Amino acid sequence: MVWFVIKVFLILYLFIWVRGTLPRFRYDQLMRLGWKFLLPLALFNVFLTGLFMVWFG
């Protein structure tokens, strides 16, 4: 039980530390990140997975 409580407090400490140190993004900044970076990255990932499946599948 003590080990579990120590792990929970460690995770909570890390979560609060990260939330306090990183900047908060506005909604429009998150949307721009998603459309300009994450969507092309996801499509590239699908393309690479398809190539991998064709070559080695």
Side-chain angles (χ1 to χ4, degrees):
M1 186 67 175
V2 173
W3 186 242
F4 175 73
V5 171
I6 290 171
K7 284 197 253 185
V8 167
F9 278 121
L10 180 65
I11 290 171
L12 284 174
Y13 173 78
L14 288 174
F15 181 74
I16 291 169
W17 181 71
V18 168
R19 287 275 301 185
T21 56
L22 292 179
R24 287 171 176 72
F25 294 103
R26 294 188 321 258
Y27 181 73
D28 62 315
Q29 291 172 325
L30 290 173
M31 291 297 290
R32 188 173 338 133
L33 173 71
W35 282 107
K36 299 223 183 222
F37 178 71
L38 294 177
L39 182 64
L41 185 66
L43 292 174
F44 183 68
N45 185 23
V46 168
F47 176 73
L48 281 181
T49 302
L51 272 168
F52 181 79
M53 294 299 288
V54 167
W55 283 344
F56 301 110

Coordinates of all heavy atoms in Angstrom, one line a residue:
M1 N 0.8 -1.2 0.0 CA 0.0 0.0 0.0 C 0.9 1.3 0.0 O 0.5 2.2 -0.7 CB -0.9 0.0 1.2 CG -1.9 1.1 1.3 SD -3.1 0.9 -0.1 CE -4.2 2.1 0.3
V2 N 2.0 1.2 0.7 CA 2.8 2.4 0.8 C 3.5 2.6 -0.5 O 3.6 3.8 -1.0 CB 3.9 2.2 1.9 CG1 5.0 3.3 1.9 CG2 3.3 2.1 3.3
W3 N 3.9 1.6 -1.2 CA 4.5 1.7 -2.6 C 3.5 2.3 -3.5 O 3.9 3.2 -4.4 CB 5.0 0.4 -3.0 CG 5.8 0.4 -4.3 CD1 5.4 -0.2 -5.5 CD2 7.0 1.1 -4.6 NE1 6.4 0.1 -6.4 CE2 7.3 0.9 -5.9 CE3 7.8 1.9 -3.8 CZ2 8.5 1.4 -6.5 CZ3 8.9 2.4 -4.4 CH2 9.3 2.2 -5.7
F4 N 2.3 1.9 -3.5 CA 1.2 2.5 -4.3 C 1.0 4.0 -4.1 O 1.0 4.8 -5.0 CB -0.1 1.7 -4.1 CG -1.2 2.3 -4.9 CD1 -1.3 2.1 -6.3 CD2 -2.2 3.0 -4.2 CE1 -2.4 2.7 -7.0 CE2 -3.3 3.6 -4.9 CZ -3.4 3.4 -6.3
V5 N 1.0 4.4 -2.8 CA 0.8 5.8 -2.5 C 2.0 6.6 -3.0 O 1.9 7.7 -3.5 CB 0.6 6.0 -1.0 CG1 0.6 7.4 -0.5 CG2 -0.7 5.3 -0.5
I6 N 3.2 6.1 -2.8 CA 4.4 6.8 -3.3 C 4.3 7.0 -4.8 O 4.6 8.1 -5.3 CB 5.7 6.0 -2.9 CG1 5.9 6.1 -1.4 CG2 6.9 6.5 -3.6 CD1 7.0 5.2 -0.9
K7 N 3.9 6.0 -5.5 CA 3.8 6.1 -7.0 C 2.8 7.1 -7.4 O 3.0 7.9 -8.3 CB 3.5 4.7 -7.6 CG 4.7 3.8 -7.7 CD 4.4 2.7 -8.7 CE 4.2 1.4 -7.9 NZ 4.0 0.3 -8.8
V8 N 1.6 7.1 -6.7 CA 0.6 8.1 -7.0 C 1.1 9.5 -6.8 O 0.8 10.4 -7.6 CB -0.7 7.8 -6.2 CG1 -1.7 8.9 -6.2 CG2 -1.3 6.5 -6.6
F9 N 1.7 9.7 -5.6 CA 2.2 11.1 -5.4 C 3.3 11.5 -6.4 O 3.4 12.7 -6.7 CB 2.7 11.2 -3.9 CG 1.7 11.4 -2.9 CD1 1.5 10.5 -1.9 CD2 0.8 12.5 -3.0 CE1 0.5 10.7 -1.0 CE2 -0.2 12.7 -2.1 CZ -0.4 11.8 -1.1
L10 N 4.1 10.6 -6.8 CA 5.1 10.9 -7.8 C 4.5 11.3 -9.1 O 4.9 12.3 -9.7 CB 6.1 9.7 -8.0 CG 7.2 9.9 -9.0 CD1 8.2 11.0 -8.5 CD2 7.9 8.6 -9.2
I11 N 3.5 10.6 -9.6 CA 2.8 10.9 -10.8 C 2.1 12.2 -10.7 O 2.1 13.1 -11.6 CB 1.9 9.8 -11.2 CG1 2.7 8.5 -11.6 CG2 0.9 10.2 -12.3 CD1 1.9 7.3 -11.9
L12 N 1.4 12.5 -9.6 CA 0.8 13.8 -9.4 C 1.8 14.9 -9.3 O 1.5 16.0 -9.9 CB 0.0 13.7 -8.1 CG -1.3 13.0 -8.1 CD1 -1.9 12.9 -6.7 CD2 -2.3 13.6 -9.1
Y13 N 2.9 14.7 -8.7 CA 3.9 15.7 -8.7 C 4.4 16.1 -10.1 O 4.5 17.2 -10.4 CB 5.1 15.3 -7.8 CG 6.3 16.3 -7.8 CD1 6.2 17.4 -7.1 CD2 7.4 16.0 -8.6 CE1 7.3 18.3 -7.1 CE2 8.4 16.8 -8.6 CZ 8.4 18.0 -7.9 OH 9.4 18.9 -8.0
L14 N 4.7 15.0 -10.9 CA 5.2 15.3 -12.2 C 4.1 15.9 -13.1 O 4.4 16.8 -13.9 CB 5.6 13.9 -12.8 CG 6.9 13.3 -12.3 CD1 7.1 11.9 -12.9 CD2 8.1 14.2 -12.6
F15 N 2.9 15.5 -12.9 CA 1.8 16.1 -13.7 C 1.6 17.6 -13.4 O 1.5 18.5 -14.3 CB 0.5 15.4 -13.4 CG -0.7 15.9 -14.1 CD1 -0.9 15.7 -15.5 CD2 -1.7 16.7 -13.5 CE1 -1.9 16.2 -16.2 CE2 -2.7 17.2 -14.2 CZ -2.9 17.0 -15.5
I16 N 1.6 18.0 -12.1 CA 1.5 19.4 -11.7 C 2.7 20.2 -12.1 O 2.6 21.3 -12.6 CB 1.3 19.5 -10.1 CG1 -0.1 18.9 -9.8 CG2 1.4 20.9 -9.6 CD1 -0.3 18.7 -8.3
W17 N 3.9 19.6 -12.0 CA 5.1 20.3 -12.5 C 5.1 20.6 -13.9 O 5.5 21.7 -14.4 CB 6.4 19.4 -12.1 CG 7.7 20.0 -12.5 CD1 8.2 21.1 -11.9 CD2 8.5 19.6 -13.5 NE1 9.4 21.4 -12.5 CE2 9.6 20.5 -13.5 CE3 8.4 18.6 -14.5 CZ2 10.6 20.3 -14.5 CZ3 9.5 18.5 -15.4 CH2 10.5 19.3 -15.4
V18 N 4.7 19.6 -14.8 CA 4.6 19.8 -16.2 C 3.6 20.9 -16.5 O 3.8 21.8 -17.4 CB 4.4 18.5 -16.9 CG1 4.0 18.7 -18.4 CG2 5.6 17.6 -16.9
R19 N 2.4 20.8 -15.9 CA 1.4 21.8 -16.2 C 1.8 23.2 -15.8 O 1.4 24.2 -16.4 CB 0.1 21.4 -15.4 CG -0.7 20.2 -15.9 CD -1.6 20.6 -17.0 NE -2.6 21.6 -16.5 CZ -3.6 22.0 -17.2 NH1 -3.7 21.5 -18.4 NH2 -4.4 22.9 -16.8
G20 N 2.6 23.3 -14.7 CA 3.0 24.6 -14.3 C 4.1 25.2 -15.1 O 4.3 26.4 -15.1
T21 N 5.0 24.4 -15.7 CA 6.1 24.9 -16.4 C 5.9 25.1 -17.9 O 6.5 26.0 -18.5 CB 7.3 24.0 -16.3 OG1 7.0 22.7 -16.7 CG2 7.8 23.9 -14.8
L22 N 5.1 24.3 -18.5 CA 4.8 24.5 -20.0 C 3.8 25.6 -20.3 O 2.9 25.8 -19.5 CB 4.3 23.2 -20.6 CG 5.3 22.0 -20.6 CD1 4.7 20.8 -21.2 CD2 6.6 22.4 -21.4
P23 N 4.0 26.3 -21.4 CA 3.0 27.3 -21.7 C 1.6 26.8 -22.1 O 1.6 25.6 -22.6 CB 3.6 28.1 -22.9 CG 4.5 27.1 -23.5 CD 5.0 26.2 -22.4
R24 N 0.6 27.5 -21.9 CA -0.7 27.1 -22.3 C -1.0 27.6 -23.7 O -0.7 28.7 -24.0 CB -1.7 27.6 -21.3 CG -1.7 26.9 -19.9 CD -2.5 27.6 -18.9 NE -2.5 26.8 -17.7 CZ -1.5 26.8 -16.8 NH1 -0.4 27.4 -17.1 NH2 -1.6 26.1 -15.7
F25 N -1.5 26.7 -24.5 CA -1.8 27.1 -25.9 C -3.3 27.5 -26.0 O -4.1 26.9 -25.4 CB -1.5 25.9 -26.8 CG 0.0 25.6 -26.8 CD1 0.5 24.5 -26.2 CD2 0.9 26.3 -27.5 CE1 1.8 24.2 -26.2 CE2 2.2 26.0 -27.6 CZ 2.7 25.0 -26.9
R26 N -3.5 28.4 -26.9 CA -4.9 28.8 -27.3 C -5.4 27.8 -28.2 O -4.7 27.0 -28.8 CB -4.9 30.2 -28.0 CG -4.4 31.3 -27.1 CD -4.7 32.7 -27.7 NE -4.3 32.7 -29.1 CZ -3.2 33.2 -29.7 NH1 -2.3 33.7 -28.9 NH2 -3.0 33.1 -31.0
Y27 N -6.8 27.8 -28.3 CA -7.5 26.8 -29.2 C -7.0 26.9 -30.6 O -6.8 25.9 -31.3 CB -9.0 27.0 -29.1 CG -9.8 26.1 -29.9 CD1 -9.9 24.8 -29.5 CD2 -10.4 26.5 -31.0 CE1 -10.7 23.9 -30.2 CE2 -11.2 25.6 -31.8 CZ -11.3 24.3 -31.4 OH -12.0 23.5 -32.1
D28 N -6.8 28.1 -31.1 CA -6.4 28.3 -32.5 C -5.0 27.8 -32.8 O -4.7 27.3 -33.8 CB -6.6 29.7 -33.0 CG -5.7 30.7 -32.2 OD1 -5.7 30.6 -31.0 OD2 -5.0 31.6 -32.8
Q29 N -4.1 27.9 -31.8 CA -2.8 27.4 -31.9 C -2.8 25.9 -32.0 O -2.0 25.3 -32.8 CB -1.9 27.9 -30.8 CG -1.6 29.4 -30.8 CD -0.9 29.8 -29.5 OE1 -1.2 29.3 -28.4 NE2 0.0 30.8 -29.7
L30 N -3.6 25.2 -31.2 CA -3.7 23.8 -31.2 C -4.3 23.3 -32.5 O -3.8 22.3 -33.1 CB -4.6 23.3 -30.0 CG -3.9 23.4 -28.6 CD1 -4.9 23.1 -27.6 CD2 -2.7 22.6 -28.5
M31 N -5.3 24.0 -33.0 CA -5.9 23.6 -34.3 C -4.8 23.8 -35.5 O -4.8 22.9 -36.3 CB -7.1 24.5 -34.6 CG -8.3 24.2 -33.7 SD -8.9 22.5 -33.9 CE -9.6 22.6 -35.5
R32 N -4.1 24.8 -35.4 CA -3.0 25.0 -36.5 C -2.0 23.9 -36.4 O -1.5 23.4 -37.4 CB -2.4 26.4 -36.3 CG -1.4 26.7 -37.4 CD -0.9 28.1 -37.4 NE -1.7 29.0 -36.6 CZ -1.2 29.9 -35.7 NH1 0.1 29.9 -35.5 NH2 -2.0 30.6 -35.0
L33 N -1.6 23.5 -35.2 CA -0.6 22.4 -35.0 C -1.2 21.1 -35.6 O -0.5 20.4 -36.2 CB -0.3 22.3 -33.5 CG 0.5 21.0 -33.1 CD1 1.9 21.2 -33.6 CD2 0.5 20.8 -31.7
G34 N -2.5 20.9 -35.3 CA -3.1 19.7 -35.8 C -3.2 19.6 -37.3 O -2.9 18.6 -37.9
W35 N -3.6 20.7 -37.9 CA -3.8 20.7 -39.4 C -2.5 20.8 -40.2 O -2.3 20.2 -41.2 CB -4.7 21.9 -39.8 CG -6.1 21.6 -39.6 CD1 -6.9 22.2 -38.6 CD2 -7.0 20.7 -40.3 NE1 -8.1 21.7 -38.7 CE2 -8.2 20.8 -39.7 CE3 -6.8 19.9 -41.4 CZ2 -9.3 20.0 -40.2 CZ3 -7.8 19.1 -41.8 CH2 -9.1 19.2 -41.2
K36 N -1.5 21.6 -39.7 CA -0.3 21.8 -40.4 C 0.8 20.8 -40.1 O 1.7 20.6 -40.9 CB 0.3 23.2 -40.1 CG -0.7 24.3 -40.5 CD 0.0 25.4 -41.2 CE -1.0 26.5 -41.5 NZ -0.9 27.0 -42.8
F37 N 0.8 20.1 -39.0 CA 1.9 19.2 -38.6 C 1.4 17.8 -38.4 O 1.9 16.9 -38.9 CB 2.6 19.8 -37.4 CG 3.7 18.9 -36.9 CD1 4.9 18.7 -37.7 CD2 3.6 18.1 -35.7 CE1 5.9 17.9 -37.2 CE2 4.6 17.3 -35.3 CZ 5.7 17.2 -36.1
L38 N 0.4 17.7 -37.5 CA 0.0 16.3 -37.1 C -0.8 15.6 -38.2 O -0.6 14.4 -38.3 CB -0.9 16.4 -35.8 CG -0.2 16.9 -34.6 CD1 -1.1 17.0 -33.4 CD2 1.0 16.1 -34.2
L39 N -1.6 16.2 -38.9 CA -2.4 15.5 -40.0 C -1.4 15.1 -41.1 O -1.5 13.9 -41.5 CB -3.5 16.4 -40.6 CG -4.3 15.8 -41.7 CD1 -5.1 14.6 -41.1 CD2 -5.2 16.8 -42.3
P40 N -0.5 15.9 -41.6 CA 0.4 15.3 -42.6 C 1.3 14.2 -42.0 O 1.6 13.2 -42.7 CB 1.3 16.5 -43.0 CG 0.5 17.7 -42.7 CD -0.4 17.3 -41.5
L41 N 1.7 14.3 -40.8 CA 2.5 13.3 -40.1 C 1.7 12.0 -40.1 O 2.2 10.9 -40.3 CB 2.9 13.7 -38.7 CG 3.8 12.8 -38.0 CD1 5.2 12.7 -38.7 CD2 4.0 13.3 -36.5
A42 N 0.4 12.1 -39.7 CA -0.4 10.9 -39.7 C -0.6 10.3 -41.0 O -0.6 9.0 -41.2 CB -1.8 11.2 -39.0
L43 N -0.8 11.1 -42.1 CA -0.9 10.5 -43.4 C 0.3 9.9 -43.9 O 0.3 8.8 -44.5 CB -1.4 11.7 -44.4 CG -2.8 12.2 -44.2 CD1 -3.0 13.4 -45.1 CD2 -3.8 11.1 -44.4
F44 N 1.5 10.5 -43.6 CA 2.8 9.9 -43.9 C 2.9 8.5 -43.2 O 3.4 7.6 -43.7 CB 3.9 10.8 -43.5 CG 5.3 10.3 -43.9 CD1 5.6 10.2 -45.2 CD2 6.2 10.0 -42.9 CE1 6.9 9.7 -45.5 CE2 7.4 9.6 -43.2 CZ 7.8 9.4 -44.5
N45 N 2.5 8.5 -41.9 CA 2.5 7.2 -41.2 C 1.7 6.1 -41.8 O 2.1 5.0 -41.9 CB 2.1 7.5 -39.7 CG 2.2 6.2 -38.9 OD1 3.0 5.4 -39.2 ND2 1.5 6.2 -37.8
V46 N 0.5 6.5 -42.3 CA -0.4 5.5 -43.0 C 0.3 5.1 -44.3 O 0.3 3.9 -44.6 CB -1.8 6.2 -43.3 CG1 -2.6 5.3 -44.2 CG2 -2.5 6.4 -42.0
F47 N 0.9 6.0 -45.0 CA 1.6 5.6 -46.2 C 2.8 4.7 -46.0 O 2.9 3.6 -46.7 CB 2.1 6.9 -46.9 CG 2.9 6.7 -48.2 CD1 2.3 6.2 -49.3 CD2 4.3 6.8 -48.1 CE1 3.1 6.0 -50.5 CE2 5.0 6.6 -49.3 CZ 4.4 6.2 -50.4
L48 N 3.6 5.0 -45.0 CA 4.7 4.1 -44.6 C 4.2 2.7 -44.1 O 4.8 1.7 -44.5 CB 5.6 4.7 -43.5 CG 6.5 5.8 -44.0 CD1 7.3 6.3 -42.8 CD2 7.4 5.3 -45.1
T49 N 3.1 2.7 -43.4 CA 2.6 1.4 -42.9 C 2.1 0.6 -44.1 O 2.3 -0.6 -44.2 CB 1.5 1.6 -41.9 OG1 1.9 2.4 -40.8 CG2 0.9 0.3 -41.4
G50 N 1.5 1.2 -45.1 CA 1.0 0.5 -46.3 C 2.2 0.0 -47.1 O 2.1 -1.2 -47.5
L51 N 3.2 0.8 -47.2 CA 4.4 0.3 -47.9 C 5.1 -0.9 -47.2 O 5.4 -1.9 -47.8 CB 5.5 1.4 -48.0 CG 5.4 2.3 -49.2 CD1 6.2 3.5 -49.1 CD2 5.8 1.6 -50.5
F52 N 5.1 -0.8 -45.9 CA 5.7 -1.9 -45.1 C 4.9 -3.2 -45.3 O 5.4 -4.2 -45.4 CB 5.8 -1.5 -43.6 CG 6.4 -2.5 -42.7 CD1 7.7 -2.7 -42.7 CD2 5.5 -3.3 -41.9 CE1 8.3 -3.6 -41.8 CE2 6.1 -4.3 -41.1 CZ 7.4 -4.4 -41.1
M53 N 3.6 -3.0 -45.3 CA 2.7 -4.2 -45.4 C 2.8 -4.8 -46.8 O 2.7 -6.0 -46.9 CB 1.2 -3.8 -45.1 CG 1.0 -3.4 -43.7 SD 1.3 -4.7 -42.5 CE 0.0 -5.8 -42.8
V54 N 3.0 -4.0 -47.8 CA 3.1 -4.5 -49.2 C 4.5 -5.3 -49.3 O 4.5 -6.3 -49.9 CB 3.0 -3.4 -50.2 CG1 3.4 -3.9 -51.6 CG2 1.6 -2.9 -50.3
W55 N 5.5 -4.7 -48.8 CA 6.8 -5.2 -49.0 C 7.1 -6.5 -48.1 O 7.7 -7.5 -48.5 CB 7.9 -4.2 -48.6 CG 8.2 -3.2 -49.7 CD1 7.7 -3.3 -51.0 CD2 8.8 -2.0 -49.6 NE1 8.1 -2.2 -51.7 CE2 8.8 -1.4 -50.9 CE3 9.4 -1.3 -48.5 CZ2 9.3 -0.1 -51.1 CZ3 10.0 -0.1 -48.8 CH2 9.9 0.5 -50.1
F56 N 6.6 -6.4 -46.8 CA 6.9 -7.5 -45.9 C 5.7 -8.3 -45.4 O 5.9 -9.2 -44.6 CB 7.6 -6.9 -44.6 CG 8.9 -6.2 -45.0 CD1 9.0 -4.8 -44.8 CD2 10.0 -6.9 -45.4 CE1 10.2 -4.2 -45.1 CE2 11.2 -6.3 -45.7 CZ 11.3 -4.9 -45.6
G57 N 4.5 -7.9 -45.9 CA 3.3 -8.6 -45.4 C 3.0 -9.7 -46.3 O 2.7 -10.8 -46.2

